[in-house]
Amino acid sequence: MLGLGGPYYHDASACLVVDGLIVAFAEEERFSRRKHHKDSRSCAVAAAFCLSEAGITLDQVDEIAIAFNPTWPEPTETCTDAELIAELLAPALFGRYRPRRVTVIEHHLAHAASAFHPSGFEEAAVLVVDGSGDGISATLAHGTAGGLKVLRQFPFSQSLGWFYETVAEHLGLGDWTSSGKLMGLAGYGRADRYALDFLTPRPGGYHLDLSRYGIRPDESVDDQYTDLRYYRRLKKAYAAAYTDLGIPPHRRARTYIGGRVVPDTGYRPEHADLAASAQDLLERCLTELAREALTLTGTSRLCVAGGVGLNCSANGRLAQLRGVEELFVQPAAGDAGCAVGAALEVALRRGDLTLPGPAMTTAALGPAFDPGTIRTVLDGYGLAYCDHGDNLPTVVAGHLALGRSVGWFQGRMEAGPRALGRRSILADAHNPLARDHINDHVKHREPWRPLAPVLLQEAAPDLIGTSTPHPFMIVARQATDAARELIPAAVHTDGTLRPQTVARDDADPYARLLASFAEQTGRPPALLNTSFNHEAEPIVCTPRDAVATFAAGPLDMLAIGPFSSTRSAATNCPTLPAHSRYVEARPLALIRSKRRIDSR
């Protein structure tokens, strides 16, 4: 079963399910190198990758499912629009084959399936919250062995996702793709500063009323949905509401350094306070929704998806909610994850998936590259490198112990917006200067943005106060006193961190790296981990992407497959074991001219 996500001209993706198991899942942006793959809903390259992983062609796929209803508000179960199908799956990539029909999975049902079907739970309450999809902005559902039953839905005119993104836009943090910045800024503010009384949490959910700004909650606006008229009206209403609080729209100044655009990274106290007030209000609304879902289903397990599900702080609050014994958040909770839900939902309907299915414990479902391929790329770029074989984690740990930053490229690319040890930038979590260096000089982003820790599972009780696995860096936890002392660079100003935990495994280079770092430093097996990319680009996918990003920035080391390269050969080879092979080549400065490459 092939599921296609991202139907609304962003976050296109593809997922292939065979015999009920996810074989491959990737986002189109990783191949197009256009962040969020904005302004396109083509899933063609991601789909071609998924098919190649299974060794099949498109005409051999039993069923293709899309995660939206192109005829909304008219219901439909299939789509036969040849033009739309060709837009999603460019025939040129599939031997000119053109599927005649695709199955339609309603958008929020795809989100819900992406959370419940791979959770491993026999039964769960399911909460989906996003901007909107097929006219819906929030869904409560009940997941059982028989599938999903929708219990309650909120229309797009009651969107929590749109509320949150308009705050970020008002504060000059960027468009809807930058909502995550608001979560970081909120930690610096006072949540009791502003009463955003147009949005009211209440038992069973919440209520949004912007009547004083020209939008009544009982207004019929379905005819204004698909052409975005309502969305534009909503943004004007929210702008007026925030301006009435005494906070005019903020447009950050931009300067130019060496041809690079550098946005103003400062903020005023009222900006942080508005961010904190919005974050707290969002969390209180989500808490009411979760309570209602738990009550209606009578279960103690909760599954979360939808774009708002990427809010780590809110997920941390839900994890601590009374009545929640287990929480699963889809690591690709945004629209890209709908590909997973659509594929699994049609697999369930066809009898290829039995619930509860296997729990999703990894997001490493994208492309991998063998050492020979990586070596060819390194040689082609003339990059100096060393071949460490299985000793790479030990060598890299030594560099990290010396305070260096490392681009880490290993195994299958992870899905979702969070780097999970396959395409990561790593540094010492004990040193706050390492965090500041990455934010300012490597990622070129705001200094108040937090970075996350990755740690061996055995260190979790001491650092995050629980032994519950956190494999996806998507649920915030309160830092313990030990974490504040030992990994302060990973603790946000509000005392939280968003951890990724990794089981000790001698076959996993990532786990071996953490263990070796602890052995060499005497500190906990924990590191700073952020995505391997620059602010304006997707996470790197191919060896070429990794080399280009490394060459263009100030990272100290690139660890790719069994190979490493550093800024200076003098810091590279003396630390190597006897069996290491060193290849000398031209310096990085000569490679940067080749940065613009075809990563496909």
Side-chain angles (χ1 to χ4, degrees):
M1 313 303 159
L2 182 65
L4 306 179
Y8 302 115
Y9 296 97
H10 62 83
D11 295 311
S13 60
C15 175
L16 185 69
V17 170
V18 178
D19 296 331
L21 298 176
I22 300 174
V23 171
F25 169 41
E27 293 142 281
E28 193 76 8
E29 66 160 21
R30 307 294 171 85
F31 305 99
S32 70
R33 307 310 300 158
R34 189 166 70 250
K35 201 164 187 179
H36 296 286
H37 198 59
K38 290 174 68 174
D39 303 320
S40 173
R41 56 185 173 194
S42 171
C43 312
V45 180
F49 154 71
C50 290
L51 298 177
S52 70
E53 283 294 292
I56 61 175
T57 56
L58 187 59
D59 61 319
Q60 294 175 306
V61 174
D62 293 325
E63 192 166 353
I64 302 170
I66 58 175
F68 77 117
N69 176 6
T71 66
W72 187 91
E74 297 299 322
T76 186
E77 295 181 352
T78 61
C79 171
T80 57
D81 184 334
E83 184 176 342
L84 172 59
I85 294 173
E87 180 182 3
L88 296 169
L89 295 168
L93 284 180
F94 304 101
R96 298 295 174 183
Y97 174 73
R98 295 171 178 263
R100 294 184 178 180
R101 60 181 291 277
V102 294
T103 298
V104 171
I105 302 296
E106 187 269 333
H107 188 69
H108 270 228
L109 178 59
H111 269 311
S114 79
F116 177 66
H117 293 355
S119 69
F121 298 156
E122 294 183 2
E123 182 182 16
V126 183
L127 174 60
V128 175
V129 183
D130 63 5
S132 77
D134 290 346
I136 302 298
S137 65
T139 294
L140 309 183
H142 188 192
T144 66
L148 287 159
K149 178 181 179 182
V150 173
L151 303 175
R152 187 178 175 192
Q153 293 187 312
F154 290 70
F156 65 89
S157 56
Q158 291 285 305
S159 174
L160 292 175
W162 284 348
F163 153 66
Y164 196 78
E165 73 176 54
T166 59
V167 178
E169 289 188 14
H170 193 79
L171 295 181
L173 299 180
D175 61 14
W176 57 268
T177 64
S178 303
S179 296
K181 296 181 183 181
L182 192 68
M183 180 175 58
L185 183 58
Y188 293 84
R190 288 174 38 206
D192 60 354
R193 173 82 180 272
Y194 297 110
L196 306 174
D197 55 5
F198 50 78
L199 178 58
T200 309
R202 61 189 188 186
Y206 61 93
H207 183 64
L208 175 65
D209 187 349
L210 289 164
S211 295
R212 79 185 80 163
Y213 301 106
I215 300 181
R216 302 189 317 274
D218 59 349
E219 183 179 351
S220 177
V221 290
D222 282 0
D223 63 331
Q224 301 176 29
Y225 177 64
T226 55
D227 63 5
L228 300 181
R229 277 185 295 155
Y230 179 81
Y231 181 64
R232 289 191 287 268
R233 288 180 58 204
L234 188 72
K235 292 176 70 171
K236 290 181 180 179
Y238 276 124
Y242 307 141
T243 301
D244 280 355
L245 296 173
I247 308 175
H250 181 55
R251 297 293 177 263
R252 296 191 295 173
R254 292 178 178 269
T255 57
Y256 294 85
I257 299 178
R260 177 170 61 89
V261 179
V262 181
D264 172 18
T265 57
Y267 62 89
R268 295 195 293 269
E270 60 267 28
H271 296 159
D273 291 341
L274 178 58
S277 299
Q279 178 68 34
D280 180 68
L281 182 54
L282 174 71
E283 291 179 9
R284 289 190 285 128
C285 291
L286 293 175
T287 295
E288 294 298 340
L289 288 172
R291 285 195 181 115
E292 178 73 356
L294 294 169
T295 299
L296 293 175
T297 59
T299 180
S300 60
R301 295 181 178 90
L302 179 65
C303 297
V304 176
V308 176
L310 294 173
N311 193 303
C312 303
S313 299
N315 293 336
R317 190 157 175 174
L318 293 178
Q320 299 300 311
L321 184 64
R322 179 179 297 179
V324 175
E325 294 183 6
E326 293 184 83
L327 173 70
F328 176 80
V329 183
Q330 167 56 238
D335 277 4
C338 285
V340 174
L344 290 174
E345 178 63 17
V346 294
L348 178 68
R349 295 178 182 183
R350 294 176 65 93
D352 292 335
L353 171 65
T354 301
L355 297 176
M360 185 178 184
T361 58
T362 180
L365 298 163
F369 301 87
D370 60 56
T373 300
I374 295 172
R375 186 191 297 275
T376 298
V377 171
L378 295 174
D379 289 339
Y381 274 93
L383 192 66
Y385 64 90
C386 295
D387 183 348
H388 304 283
D390 292 339
N391 202 49
L392 178 86
T394 301
V395 174
V396 174
H399 283 269
L400 290 167
L402 293 173
R404 293 168 183 153
S405 56
V406 177
W408 178 261
F409 183 108
Q410 302 293 324
R412 296 187 72 175
M413 180 187 69
E414 57 271 88
R418 310 272 155 76
L420 300 171
R422 304 305 179 108
R423 306 289 189 271
S424 292
I425 291 174
L426 303 173
D428 183 1
H430 181 72
N431 184 6
L433 292 178
R435 174 200 60 211
D436 298 340
H437 171 73
I438 290 173
N439 273 335
D440 188 23
H441 299 291
V442 177
K443 306 280 279 192
H444 306 304
R445 65 183 197 175
E446 297 83 357
W448 39 262
R449 299 272 291 276
L451 297 184
V454 55
L455 53 140
L456 285 182
Q457 182 64 43
E458 62 205 50
D462 289 337
L463 298 178
I464 64 175
T466 178
S467 59
T468 301
H470 286 65
F472 299 125
M473 200 190 291
I474 202 166
V475 178
R477 304 289 307 195
Q478 284 294 320
T480 63
D481 290 341
R484 293 185 180 91
E485 177 184 354
L486 297 172
I487 54 169
V491 180
H492 195 35
T493 187
D494 61 0
T496 65
L497 38 72
R498 57 179 198 189
Q500 179 197 8
T501 59
V502 177
R504 184 179 285 268
D505 182 356
D506 289 342
D508 179 6
Y510 197 35
R512 289 174 54 213
L513 173 67
L514 291 165
S516 182
F517 179 81
E519 291 168 3
Q520 295 186 46
T521 62
R523 296 202 295 270
L527 293 166
L528 279 182
N529 175 19
T530 188
S531 55
F532 191 174
N533 65 326
H534 293 310
E535 174 74 349
E537 69 173 1
I539 297 175
V540 300
C541 174
T542 68
R544 290 185 176 185
D545 300 334
V547 171
T549 301
F550 173 61
L555 284 172
D556 298 308
M557 170 181 270
L558 173 64
I560 179 167
F563 311 108
S564 78
S565 179
T566 63
R567 292 284 153 190
S568 167
T571 63
N572 199 356
C573 288
T575 62
L576 302 184
H579 71 268
S580 296
R581 171 177 175 261
Y582 175 57
V583 176
E584 186 172 5
R586 60 183 180 271
L588 282 175
L590 300 181
I591 298 172
R592 293 192 183 104
S593 62
K594 295 180 67 177
R595 188 180 178 213
R596 293 187 179 275
I597 55 175
D598 181 4
S599 63
R600 291 172 289 182

